[in-house]
Amino acid sequence: MINFLFPERLFLLPFLVLVFSVLVFITWRHEQEVLTSFRLSAKKTVFITELIIIFFAVLFLVLTLARPYIVSKERYKIRFTDDTALLMVFDVSLSMLAQEKPYADTRLDRAKKMAQEILKYTEVKTGICGFTDNLMAHLLPTADLASVMEVLNQTVVIASVPFGYYKQGRLEAIAEQYSNFFPENQKNKIIIVFTDGDMPAPKETSSLREKGVIVFLVGIGSQKERIYDYDENGKLIGPRPVAINFRKEILKKTANMFGGYYISEEDIDSIIRELKKNVGKEGMVEETALAHKIVELTPLTTLATFAMLMVFLYLRRPR
């Protein structure tokens, strides 16, 4: 099925049909006057052919402006370790907008790039969550890497998880709610949390390691970073006056409380190394997944428009 990126531009088609119909009607009633006025071919059959070619040229031009595309489905094989599930949790509070300098990646941008790199070296079911004072699933653990990447790129954004009762970030929300997002009876559970720690120190909670959960707290940020404001055209307005906290001490304390690991964002190799150590080696399975691929038809309609114009000019050449 053909879809259009800008379907509202198809409103030109009824006008095209109307103009074409009126032109054909007038030509039929006043053939010689029209042929003479527009210096078109004196042969009626050639003129009609030229008229049809012009119609299709404009038709393809309108379709080009509407940006047609189709969605094709492709099946592919995926291999993953069935006895391990990974939950990637992203801090989506406002402080994750902080940047080292104007137009640089935000803390959240850097966290997402790290996650993409980590996913290259894992073959486990992966879920995506965001958190503020609540933990919310954007995607439950799945072996479909294409779906994980799409959610990571499109859904994980600042404020994608609204604040609830507490109105401030809470790392303990992860300990309270993580079990809702893992498959029941999952043997190995791993959580990677990407955050700057700009929130109150968490209350004491039981170790997640004792519950069979390995937690990696990845510290994203530095004390020099600020939030920069931009106008609607992306032009820099200026930095906000106060630097945004990066609270390593809170993250280290929380990692220790969870029985997990604190890792800085510069040490991505350490994350991958430790992650591999904690991934189960049993239950490697292979499944077939379905991927959706968008194929743009704009080049074809553009080529068709050009071809129609070339044919028209050929017919109008001096004889």
Side-chain angles (χ1 to χ4, degrees):
M1 180 180 177
I2 298 178
N3 303 288
F4 295 92
L5 190 60
F6 303 107
E8 65 275 7
R9 296 176 182 176
L10 294 176
F11 81 92
L12 295 170
L13 289 180
F15 292 99
L16 174 61
V17 174
L18 178 62
V19 171
F20 180 77
S21 301
V22 170
L23 188 55
V24 170
F25 176 77
I26 293 175
T27 302
W28 211 263
R29 296 289 300 269
H30 308 282
E31 179 179 341
Q32 286 305 125
E33 293 89 334
V34 171
L35 295 178
T36 303
S37 300
F38 290 95
R39 297 180 180 179
L40 297 172
S41 174
K43 294 183 179 180
K44 189 174 182 178
T45 55
V46 177
F47 168 67
I48 293 176
T49 301
E50 293 174 348
L51 200 58
I52 291 173
I53 290 172
I54 294 174
F55 172 80
F56 278 103
V58 178
L59 172 65
F60 286 126
L61 178 60
V62 172
L63 294 177
T64 300
L65 294 174
R67 297 283 299 276
Y69 67 91
I70 59 175
V71 179
S72 64
K73 297 179 180 180
E74 298 180 356
R75 296 187 180 275
Y76 63 97
K77 297 287 185 180
I78 52 175
R79 296 178 72 252
F80 62 96
T81 305
D82 193 39
D83 65 356
T84 302
L86 168 64
L87 200 63
M88 288 187 164
V89 180
F90 295 85
D91 183 349
V92 291
S93 57
L94 185 63
S95 63
M96 293 295 283
L97 279 177
Q99 301 166 281
E100 293 182 356
K101 58 184 179 180
Y103 305 108
D105 285 340
T106 65
R107 292 175 177 177
L108 184 58
D109 291 333
R110 302 201 305 269
K112 290 163 70 171
K113 287 182 178 180
M114 287 183 68
Q116 291 171 348
E117 190 66 23
I118 291 169
L119 287 170
K120 295 178 182 178
Y121 300 95
T122 59
E123 293 182 318
V124 296
K125 293 175 290 187
T126 303
I128 302 292
C129 287
F131 87 97
T132 50
D133 60 351
N134 287 300
L135 185 65
M136 181 181 292
H138 294 311
L139 180 70
L140 294 175
T142 175
D144 186 354
L145 183 59
S147 297
V148 174
M149 288 296 189
E150 182 175 357
V151 170
L152 184 60
N153 291 326
Q154 302 297 328
T155 309
V156 179
V157 295
I158 298 298
S160 57
V161 179
F163 280 95
Y165 174 78
Y166 295 94
K167 306 299 181 184
Q168 57 185 354
R170 294 172 62 247
L171 281 164
E172 53 261 53
I174 298 168
E176 294 167 357
Q177 299 172 283
Y178 78 90
S179 60
N180 297 327
F181 310 117
F182 279 107
E184 191 174 356
N185 301 320
Q186 182 67 57
K187 184 178 179 181
N188 300 309
K189 306 180 185 73
I190 300 174
I191 300 175
I192 302 178
V193 183
F194 300 91
T195 179
D196 56 14
D198 186 25
M199 57 194 69
K203 299 176 182 178
E204 289 295 327
T205 183
S206 58
S207 170
L208 294 184
R209 183 179 285 272
E210 294 176 359
K211 300 177 182 179
V213 183
I214 306 300
V215 179
F216 297 89
L217 273 173
V218 183
I220 307 290
S222 71
Q223 293 291 1
K224 298 179 180 180
E225 293 179 328
R226 296 174 178 268
I227 293 178
Y228 293 86
D229 291 317
Y230 305 88
D231 63 20
E232 58 185 11
N233 297 316
K235 185 178 179 181
L236 178 66
I237 297 175
R240 298 188 184 183
V242 180
I244 304 300
N245 286 327
F246 170 63
R247 304 182 69 176
K248 183 189 293 187
E249 70 283 355
I250 284 183
L251 297 179
K252 286 185 174 181
K253 178 182 177 181
T254 305
N256 183 62
M257 186 171 61
F258 285 169
Y261 305 88
Y262 169 78
I263 300 175
S264 68
E265 65 175 301
E266 295 82 11
D267 198 10
I268 187 170
D269 291 337
S270 177
I271 301 175
I272 295 170
R273 185 170 56 253
E274 292 296 330
L275 186 61
K276 286 182 175 181
K277 288 181 183 178
N278 290 278
V279 170
K281 303 300 181 183
E282 302 175 0
M284 183 66 76
V285 297
E286 185 175 283
E287 291 184 358
T288 300
L290 187 65
H292 293 80
K293 182 180 179 181
I294 295 177
V295 180
E296 282 232 32
L297 301 180
T298 305
L300 293 179
T301 54
T302 303
L303 182 62
T305 303
F306 182 75
M308 291 295 103
L309 291 175
M310 291 299 99
V311 172
F312 176 75
L313 293 175
Y314 175 78
L315 294 176
R316 297 300 314 282
R317 74 189 189 284
R319 299 178 183 273

Coordinates of all heavy atoms in Angstrom, one line a residue, residues 133-210:
D133 N 10.5 10.5 39.2 CA 10.2 9.9 40.5 C 9.4 8.6 40.4 O 9.0 8.0 41.4 CB 9.5 10.9 41.4 CG 8.1 11.4 40.8 OD1 7.8 11.0 39.6 OD2 7.4 12.1 41.5
N134 N 9.2 8.2 39.2 CA 8.5 7.0 38.8 C 9.3 6.2 37.8 O 10.1 6.9 37.1 CB 7.1 7.2 38.3 CG 6.1 7.6 39.4 OD1 5.9 6.9 40.4 ND2 5.6 8.8 39.2
L135 N 9.1 5.0 37.7 CA 9.8 4.2 36.6 C 8.7 3.8 35.6 O 7.6 3.2 36.0 CB 10.4 2.9 37.2 CG 11.2 2.0 36.3 CD1 12.4 2.8 35.8 CD2 11.7 0.8 37.0
M136 N 8.9 4.0 34.3 CA 7.9 3.7 33.3 C 8.6 3.0 32.2 O 9.6 3.4 31.7 CB 7.2 5.0 32.8 CG 6.2 4.8 31.8 SD 5.4 6.3 31.2 CE 4.6 6.9 32.7
A137 N 7.9 1.9 31.7 CA 8.5 1.1 30.6 C 8.1 1.8 29.3 O 6.9 2.1 29.0 CB 7.9 -0.3 30.7
H138 N 9.1 2.0 28.4 CA 8.8 2.4 27.0 C 8.8 1.1 26.1 O 8.1 1.1 25.1 CB 9.9 3.3 26.5 CG 9.9 4.6 27.2 ND1 8.8 5.4 27.4 CD2 10.9 5.4 27.8 CE1 9.1 6.5 28.0 NE2 10.4 6.5 28.3
L139 N 9.5 0.1 26.6 CA 9.5 -1.2 25.8 C 9.9 -2.3 26.8 O 10.9 -2.2 27.5 CB 10.5 -1.1 24.7 CG 10.7 -2.4 23.8 CD1 9.4 -2.6 23.0 CD2 11.9 -2.3 22.9
L140 N 9.1 -3.3 26.9 CA 9.4 -4.5 27.7 C 10.5 -5.3 27.1 O 10.7 -5.2 25.8 CB 8.2 -5.3 28.0 CG 7.1 -4.6 28.8 CD1 5.8 -5.5 28.9 CD2 7.5 -4.3 30.2
P141 N 11.3 -6.1 27.8 CA 12.4 -6.8 27.2 C 12.0 -7.6 26.0 O 11.1 -8.4 26.0 CB 12.9 -7.7 28.4 CG 12.5 -6.9 29.6 CD 11.2 -6.2 29.3
T142 N 12.8 -7.4 24.9 CA 12.5 -8.1 23.7 C 13.9 -8.4 23.0 O 14.9 -7.7 23.2 CB 11.7 -7.3 22.7 OG1 11.6 -8.0 21.5 CG2 12.3 -5.9 22.5
A143 N 13.9 -9.5 22.2 CA 15.1 -9.8 21.5 C 15.2 -9.1 20.2 O 16.2 -9.2 19.4 CB 15.2 -11.3 21.3
D144 N 14.2 -8.3 19.8 CA 14.1 -7.6 18.5 C 14.9 -6.3 18.7 O 14.4 -5.3 19.1 CB 12.7 -7.3 18.2 CG 12.5 -6.7 16.8 OD1 13.6 -6.4 16.2 OD2 11.4 -6.6 16.3
L145 N 16.2 -6.4 18.2 CA 17.1 -5.2 18.4 C 16.6 -4.0 17.6 O 16.8 -2.9 18.0 CB 18.5 -5.6 17.9 CG 19.6 -4.5 18.1 CD1 19.7 -4.1 19.5 CD2 20.9 -5.0 17.5
A146 N 16.0 -4.2 16.5 CA 15.4 -3.1 15.7 C 14.4 -2.3 16.4 O 14.4 -1.1 16.4 CB 14.8 -3.6 14.3
S147 N 13.5 -3.0 17.2 CA 12.5 -2.3 18.0 C 13.2 -1.6 19.1 O 12.8 -0.5 19.5 CB 11.5 -3.4 18.5 OG 10.8 -4.0 17.5
V148 N 14.2 -2.2 19.7 CA 14.9 -1.5 20.8 C 15.5 -0.2 20.4 O 15.4 0.8 21.0 CB 16.0 -2.5 21.4 CG1 16.8 -1.7 22.5 CG2 15.3 -3.7 22.0
M149 N 16.2 -0.3 19.2 CA 16.8 0.9 18.7 C 15.8 2.0 18.3 O 16.1 3.2 18.6 CB 17.7 0.5 17.4 CG 18.9 -0.3 17.7 SD 20.1 0.7 18.7 CE 21.5 -0.4 18.7
E150 N 14.7 1.6 17.8 CA 13.7 2.6 17.4 C 13.1 3.3 18.6 O 13.0 4.5 18.6 CB 12.6 1.9 16.6 CG 11.5 2.9 16.1 CD 10.4 2.2 15.3 OE1 10.5 1.0 15.0 OE2 9.5 2.9 14.9
V151 N 12.8 2.5 19.7 CA 12.3 3.1 20.9 C 13.4 4.0 21.5 O 13.1 5.1 22.0 CB 11.8 2.0 21.9 CG1 11.5 2.6 23.2 CG2 10.6 1.3 21.3
L152 N 14.6 3.6 21.5 CA 15.7 4.3 22.1 C 15.8 5.7 21.4 O 16.0 6.7 22.1 CB 17.0 3.5 22.0 CG 18.2 4.1 22.6 CD1 18.0 4.3 24.1 CD2 19.4 3.2 22.4
N153 N 15.7 5.7 20.1 CA 15.9 6.9 19.3 C 14.7 7.8 19.3 O 14.9 9.1 19.4 CB 16.3 6.6 17.9 CG 17.6 6.0 17.7 OD1 18.6 6.3 18.5 ND2 17.8 5.0 16.8
Q154 N 13.5 7.3 19.3 CA 12.3 8.1 19.2 C 11.5 8.3 20.4 O 10.9 9.4 20.5 CB 11.4 7.3 18.2 CG 12.0 7.0 16.8 CD 12.3 8.3 16.1 OE1 11.7 9.3 16.2 NE2 13.4 8.2 15.3
T155 N 11.6 7.5 21.4 CA 10.7 7.6 22.6 C 11.4 8.1 23.8 O 10.8 8.8 24.7 CB 10.1 6.2 22.9 OG1 9.5 5.7 21.7 CG2 9.0 6.3 23.9
V156 N 12.7 7.8 24.0 CA 13.4 8.2 25.2 C 13.8 9.7 25.0 O 14.8 10.0 24.4 CB 14.7 7.4 25.4 CG1 15.4 7.9 26.7 CG2 14.3 5.9 25.6
V157 N 13.0 10.6 25.6 CA 13.2 12.0 25.5 C 13.0 12.6 26.9 O 12.4 12.0 27.8 CB 12.3 12.7 24.5 CG1 12.6 12.2 23.1 CG2 10.8 12.4 24.8
I158 N 13.4 13.9 27.1 CA 13.2 14.6 28.3 C 11.7 14.7 28.6 O 10.9 15.0 27.7 CB 13.8 16.0 28.3 CG1 15.3 15.9 28.1 CG2 13.5 16.7 29.6 CD1 16.1 15.2 29.3
A159 N 11.3 14.3 29.8 CA 9.9 14.4 30.3 C 9.0 13.3 29.7 O 7.8 13.5 29.7 CB 9.3 15.8 30.1
S160 N 9.6 12.3 29.1 CA 8.8 11.2 28.6 C 8.1 10.4 29.7 O 7.2 9.7 29.5 CB 9.6 10.3 27.7 OG 10.7 9.7 28.4
V161 N 8.6 10.6 30.9 CA 8.0 10.1 32.1 C 7.6 11.3 33.0 O 8.5 11.9 33.5 CB 8.9 9.1 32.9 CG1 8.2 8.6 34.2 CG2 9.4 8.0 32.0
P162 N 6.3 11.6 33.1 CA 5.9 12.7 34.0 C 6.2 12.5 35.4 O 6.2 11.4 35.9 CB 4.4 12.8 33.7 CG 4.0 11.5 33.3 CD 5.2 10.9 32.5
F163 N 6.4 13.6 36.2 CA 6.6 13.5 37.6 C 5.3 13.2 38.3 O 4.2 13.6 37.8 CB 7.2 14.8 38.2 CG 8.6 15.0 38.0 CD1 9.1 15.7 36.9 CD2 9.5 14.4 38.9 CE1 10.5 15.9 36.7 CE2 10.9 14.6 38.7 CZ 11.4 15.3 37.6
G164 N 5.4 12.4 39.3 CA 4.2 12.0 40.1 C 4.2 12.8 41.4 O 4.4 14.0 41.5
Y165 N 3.9 12.0 42.5 CA 3.7 12.6 43.8 C 4.9 13.4 44.3 O 4.8 14.4 44.9 CB 3.3 11.5 44.8 CG 3.2 11.9 46.2 CD1 2.1 12.6 46.6 CD2 4.2 11.6 47.1 CE1 1.9 13.0 48.0 CE2 4.1 12.0 48.4 CZ 3.0 12.7 48.9 OH 2.9 13.1 50.2
Y166 N 6.1 12.8 44.1 CA 7.3 13.4 44.8 C 7.9 14.6 44.1 O 8.6 15.4 44.7 CB 8.4 12.3 44.8 CG 8.0 11.1 45.7 CD1 7.4 10.0 45.2 CD2 8.2 11.2 47.1 CE1 7.0 8.9 46.0 CE2 7.8 10.1 47.9 CZ 7.2 9.0 47.3 OH 6.9 7.9 48.1
K167 N 7.6 14.8 42.8 CA 8.0 16.0 42.1 C 9.6 16.2 42.0 O 10.1 17.3 41.7 CB 7.4 17.3 42.7 CG 5.9 17.2 42.8 CD 5.2 17.1 41.5 CE 3.7 17.1 41.7 NZ 3.0 16.9 40.4
Q168 N 10.3 15.1 42.2 CA 11.8 15.2 42.1 C 12.3 13.7 41.8 O 11.6 12.8 42.1 CB 12.4 15.7 43.3 CG 12.1 15.0 44.6 CD 12.7 15.7 45.8 OE1 13.4 16.6 45.7 NE2 12.4 15.2 47.0
G169 N 13.5 13.7 41.2 CA 14.0 12.3 40.8 C 14.2 11.5 42.0 O 14.6 11.9 43.1
R170 N 14.0 10.2 41.9 CA 14.1 9.2 43.0 C 14.7 7.9 42.4 O 14.1 7.2 41.7 CB 12.8 8.9 43.6 CG 12.1 10.0 44.3 CD 10.7 9.6 44.7 NE 10.7 8.5 45.7 CZ 10.2 7.3 45.4 NH1 9.7 7.0 44.2 NH2 10.2 6.3 46.3
L171 N 16.0 7.7 42.8 CA 16.6 6.4 42.4 C 16.0 5.2 43.0 O 16.0 4.1 42.5 CB 18.1 6.4 42.8 CG 19.0 7.3 41.8 CD1 20.3 7.6 42.5 CD2 19.2 6.5 40.5
E172 N 15.4 5.4 44.2 CA 14.7 4.2 44.8 C 13.5 3.8 44.1 O 13.0 2.7 44.3 CB 14.3 4.5 46.3 CG 13.5 5.8 46.5 CD 14.3 7.0 46.9 OE1 15.3 7.2 46.2 OE2 14.0 7.6 47.9
A173 N 13.0 4.6 43.1 CA 11.8 4.2 42.3 C 12.2 2.9 41.5 O 11.4 2.1 41.2 CB 11.4 5.3 41.4
I174 N 13.5 2.8 41.1 CA 13.9 1.7 40.4 C 13.8 0.4 41.2 O 13.3 -0.6 40.8 CB 15.4 1.9 39.9 CG1 15.4 3.1 39.0 CG2 15.9 0.6 39.2 CD1 16.8 3.6 38.7
A175 N 14.3 0.5 42.5 CA 14.2 -0.7 43.4 C 12.8 -1.1 43.7 O 12.5 -2.2 43.9 CB 15.0 -0.4 44.7
E176 N 11.9 -0.1 43.7 CA 10.5 -0.3 44.1 C 9.7 -1.0 42.9 O 8.8 -1.7 43.1 CB 9.8 1.0 44.5 CG 10.4 1.6 45.8 CD 9.9 3.0 46.0 OE1 9.2 3.5 45.1 OE2 10.2 3.6 47.0
Q177 N 10.1 -0.6 41.7 CA 9.2 -1.0 40.5 C 9.8 -1.9 39.5 O 9.1 -2.3 38.5 CB 8.7 0.3 39.9 CG 7.9 1.2 40.8 CD 7.6 2.6 40.2 OE1 8.5 3.5 40.1 NE2 6.4 2.7 39.7
Y178 N 11.1 -2.2 39.6 CA 11.8 -2.9 38.5 C 11.2 -4.2 38.2 O 11.1 -4.7 37.0 CB 13.3 -3.1 38.8 CG 13.5 -4.2 39.8 CD1 13.7 -5.5 39.4 CD2 13.5 -4.0 41.2 CE1 13.9 -6.6 40.3 CE2 13.6 -5.0 42.1 CZ 13.9 -6.3 41.6 OH 14.0 -7.4 42.5
S179 N 10.6 -4.9 39.2 CA 10.1 -6.3 39.0 C 8.9 -6.3 38.0 O 8.6 -7.4 37.5 CB 9.7 -6.9 40.3 OG 8.8 -6.1 41.0
N180 N 8.2 -5.1 37.9 CA 7.1 -5.1 37.0 C 7.4 -5.2 35.5 O 6.6 -5.5 34.7 CB 6.3 -3.8 37.1 CG 5.8 -3.6 38.5 OD1 5.4 -4.5 39.2 ND2 5.7 -2.3 39.0
F181 N 8.7 -5.1 35.2 CA 9.2 -5.0 33.8 C 10.0 -6.1 33.3 O 10.5 -6.1 32.2 CB 9.9 -3.7 33.6 CG 9.1 -2.5 34.1 CD1 9.6 -1.7 35.1 CD2 7.8 -2.2 33.6 CE1 8.9 -0.6 35.6 CE2 7.1 -1.1 34.1 CZ 7.6 -0.3 35.1
F182 N 10.3 -7.1 34.2 CA 11.0 -8.3 33.8 C 10.1 -9.4 33.6 O 9.0 -9.5 34.3 CB 12.1 -8.7 34.8 CG 13.3 -7.9 34.8 CD1 13.6 -7.0 35.8 CD2 14.3 -8.1 33.8 CE1 14.8 -6.2 35.7 CE2 15.4 -7.4 33.7 CZ 15.7 -6.5 34.7
P183 N 10.4 -10.3 32.6 CA 9.5 -11.5 32.5 C 9.5 -12.3 33.8 O 10.4 -12.4 34.5 CB 10.2 -12.3 31.4 CG 11.0 -11.3 30.6 CD 11.5 -10.3 31.6
E184 N 8.3 -12.9 34.0 CA 8.2 -13.7 35.2 C 9.1 -14.9 35.2 O 9.4 -15.5 34.2 CB 6.7 -14.2 35.3 CG 6.4 -14.9 36.7 CD 4.9 -15.2 36.8 OE1 4.2 -14.9 35.8 OE2 4.5 -15.8 37.8
N185 N 9.7 -15.2 36.3 CA 10.7 -16.3 36.5 C 12.0 -16.2 35.6 O 12.6 -17.1 35.3 CB 10.0 -17.7 36.1 CG 8.8 -18.0 37.0 OD1 8.8 -17.7 38.2 ND2 7.8 -18.5 36.4
Q186 N 12.3 -14.9 35.3 CA 13.5 -14.7 34.6 C 14.7 -15.0 35.4 O 14.9 -14.6 36.6 CB 13.6 -13.2 34.2 CG 14.9 -12.8 33.3 CD 14.9 -13.5 32.0 OE1 13.9 -13.3 31.2 NE2 15.9 -14.3 31.7
K187 N 15.6 -15.8 34.9 CA 16.8 -16.3 35.7 C 17.8 -15.2 36.0 O 18.1 -15.0 37.2 CB 17.5 -17.5 35.0 CG 18.6 -18.1 35.7 CD 19.2 -19.2 35.0 CE 20.4 -19.9 35.7 NZ 21.0 -21.0 35.0
N188 N 18.3 -14.5 35.0 CA 19.3 -13.5 35.3 C 18.7 -12.1 34.9 O 18.2 -12.0 33.8 CB 20.5 -13.7 34.4 CG 21.2 -15.0 34.8 OD1 21.5 -15.3 35.9 ND2 21.5 -15.9 33.7
K189 N 18.8 -11.2 35.8 CA 18.2 -9.8 35.5 C 19.3 -8.8 35.7 O 20.1 -8.8 36.7 CB 17.1 -9.5 36.5 CG 16.0 -10.5 36.6 CD 14.9 -10.1 37.6 CE 13.8 -11.1 37.8 NZ 14.3 -12.3 38.6
I190 N 19.5 -7.9 34.7 CA 20.5 -6.9 34.7 C 19.8 -5.5 34.4 O 19.0 -5.4 33.5 CB 21.6 -7.1 33.6 CG1 22.3 -8.5 33.9 CG2 22.6 -6.0 33.6 CD1 23.2 -8.9 32.8
I191 N 20.2 -4.5 35.2 CA 19.7 -3.2 35.0 C 20.9 -2.2 34.8 O 21.8 -2.2 35.6 CB 18.9 -2.7 36.2 CG1 17.7 -3.6 36.5 CG2 18.4 -1.3 36.0 CD1 16.9 -3.3 37.7
I192 N 20.8 -1.4 33.8 CA 21.8 -0.4 33.6 C 21.1 1.0 33.7 O 20.1 1.2 32.9 CB 22.5 -0.5 32.2 CG1 23.2 -1.8 32.0 CG2 23.5 0.7 32.0 CD1 23.8 -2.0 30.7
V193 N 21.5 1.8 34.6 CA 20.8 3.1 34.9 C 21.8 4.2 34.4 O 22.9 4.3 34.8 CB 20.5 3.3 36.3 CG1 19.7 4.6 36.6 CG2 19.7 2.1 36.9
F194 N 21.3 5.1 33.5 CA 22.0 6.2 33.0 C 21.4 7.5 33.7 O 20.3 7.9 33.4 CB 21.9 6.3 31.5 CG 22.4 5.1 30.7 CD1 21.5 4.1 30.4 CD2 23.7 5.0 30.3 CE1 22.0 3.0 29.7 CE2 24.2 4.0 29.6 CZ 23.3 2.9 29.3
T195 N 22.2 8.1 34.5 CA 21.7 9.3 35.3 C 22.9 10.2 35.7 O 24.0 9.8 35.8 CB 20.9 8.8 36.5 OG1 20.5 10.0 37.2 CG2 21.8 7.9 37.4
D196 N 22.5 11.4 36.0 CA 23.5 12.4 36.6 C 23.5 12.5 38.1 O 24.3 13.2 38.7 CB 23.4 13.8 35.9 CG 22.0 14.3 36.1 OD1 21.2 13.8 37.0 OD2 21.6 15.3 35.4
G197 N 22.5 11.8 38.7 CA 22.5 11.8 40.2 C 22.0 13.1 40.7 O 22.1 13.3 42.0
D198 N 21.4 14.0 39.9 CA 20.9 15.3 40.4 C 19.6 15.1 41.1 O 18.5 15.5 40.5 CB 20.8 16.3 39.3 CG 20.5 17.7 39.8 OD1 20.8 18.0 40.9 OD2 19.9 18.4 39.0
M199 N 19.6 14.5 42.3 CA 18.4 14.2 43.0 C 18.8 13.9 44.5 O 20.0 13.7 44.8 CB 17.7 13.0 42.4 CG 18.5 11.7 42.3 SD 17.8 10.5 41.2 CE 18.0 11.2 39.6
P200 N 17.8 13.9 45.4 CA 18.1 13.6 46.8 C 18.7 12.2 46.9 O 18.5 11.3 46.1 CB 16.8 13.7 47.5 CG 15.9 14.5 46.6 CD 16.4 14.2 45.2
A201 N 19.5 12.0 48.0 CA 20.1 10.7 48.3 C 19.0 9.7 48.5 O 18.0 10.1 49.2 CB 21.0 10.8 49.5
P202 N 19.0 8.5 48.0 CA 18.0 7.6 48.2 C 17.9 7.1 49.6 O 18.9 7.0 50.4 CB 18.3 6.4 47.2 CG 19.8 6.5 47.1 CD 20.1 8.0 47.2
K203 N 16.7 6.6 50.0 CA 16.6 6.0 51.4 C 17.1 4.6 51.3 O 17.3 4.0 50.3 CB 15.1 6.0 51.7 CG 14.4 7.3 51.8 CD 12.9 7.2 52.1 CE 12.2 8.6 52.1 NZ 10.8 8.4 52.3
E204 N 17.5 4.1 52.5 CA 18.0 2.8 52.6 C 17.0 1.8 52.0 O 15.8 1.8 52.3 CB 18.3 2.4 54.0 CG 19.5 3.2 54.6 CD 20.8 2.8 53.9 OE1 21.0 1.6 53.5 OE2 21.7 3.7 53.7
T205 N 17.5 0.8 51.2 CA 16.7 -0.2 50.7 C 17.5 -1.5 50.6 O 18.7 -1.5 50.7 CB 16.2 0.2 49.2 OG1 15.3 -0.8 48.7 CG2 17.4 0.3 48.3
S206 N 16.8 -2.6 50.5 CA 17.5 -3.9 50.5 C 18.3 -4.0 49.2 O 18.0 -3.4 48.1 CB 16.5 -5.0 50.6 OG 15.5 -5.0 49.5
S207 N 19.4 -4.8 49.3 CA 20.2 -5.0 48.1 C 19.5 -5.8 47.0 O 18.8 -6.8 47.2 CB 21.5 -5.8 48.6 OG 22.2 -6.2 47.4
L208 N 19.6 -5.2 45.8 CA 19.0 -5.9 44.7 C 19.8 -7.1 44.3 O 19.2 -8.1 43.7 CB 18.9 -4.9 43.5 CG 17.9 -3.7 43.7 CD1 17.9 -2.9 42.4 CD2 16.6 -4.2 44.1
R209 N 21.1 -7.1 44.6 CA 21.9 -8.3 44.2 C 21.3 -9.5 45.0 O 21.4 -10.6 44.4 CB 23.3 -8.1 44.6 CG 24.3 -9.2 44.2 CD 25.7 -8.9 44.5 NE 26.3 -8.0 43.6 CZ 26.9 -8.3 42.5 NH1 26.9 -9.6 42.1 NH2 27.4 -7.4 41.7
E210 N 20.9 -9.3 46.2 CA 20.3 -10.4 47.0 C 19.0 -11.0 46.3 O 18.6 -12.1 46.6 CB 20.0 -10.0 48.4 CG 21.2 -9.6 49.2 CD 20.9 -9.1 50.6 OE1 19.7 -8.9 50.9 OE2 21.8 -8.8 51.3

